[in-house]
Amino acid sequence: QVQLVESGGGLVQPGGSLRLSCAASGIIFSFNVMGWYRQAPGKERELVATIHSGGTTIYADSVKGRLTISRDNVKNTVYLQMNSLKPDDTAVYYCTFRTIPTTSYYWGQGTQVTVSS
């Protein structure tokens, strides 16, 4: 019902910035939560940030003040502005979409972010 396409990943030096985008298409419900998870090699997938269709946000402590999630409800797109990037931010970033109440959960294919000099 919902397809997610991420973009914006790449290679950046420590201290640099990237902006990830995730466009949702298909059957979009008015009440939903979109967000970002990430998974580094050999580690478990972890929450980065989420944003409700009403605007409420949740951030992992490790990214507060550096990463900002936002969304455009007209375009059905969620963004992750990443500033002051660190090598520990290196991971595959996955876009997520879930309905409210949570009856369906969707994942994108992921986009690689590498922070290295």
Side-chain angles (χ1 to χ4, degrees), residues 1-116:
Q1 292 182 308
V2 177
Q3 297 80 46
L4 303 172
V5 180
E6 304 104 326
S7 63
L11 174 65
V12 64
Q13 294 187 346
S17 299
L18 286 173
R19 189 183 73 164
L20 305 184
S21 299
C22 175
S25 62
I27 302 176
I28 306 300
F29 297 91
S30 297
F31 300 107
N32 60 75
V33 175
M34 296 187 70
W36 297 92
Y37 280 71
R38 67 185 181 186
Q39 186 169 28
K43 298 182 179 180
E44 295 184 352
R45 190 172 298 181
E46 64 175 350
L47 171 72
V48 177
T50 63
I51 182 167
H52 191 275
S53 53
T56 302
T57 59
I58 296 175
Y59 291 94
D61 288 340
S62 61
V63 306
K64 289 181 179 178
R66 300 187 301 112
L67 278 60
T68 302
I69 190 170
S70 62
R71 65 184 293 162
D72 185 330
N73 288 335
V74 176
K75 297 180 179 180
N76 294 318
T77 300
V78 64
Y79 306 93
L80 185 67
Q81 179 65 49
M82 304 188 294
N83 299 324
S84 301
L85 285 166
K86 305 174 181 179
D88 286 347
D89 295 318
T90 297
V92 177
Y93 285 71
Y94 296 91
C95 179
T96 64
F97 177 100
R98 67 178 174 91
T99 57
I100 301 296
T102 306
T103 58
S104 300
Y105 208 108
Y106 302 89
W107 294 81
Q109 293 299 308
T111 184
Q112 176 71 47
V113 172
T114 302
V115 184
S116 176

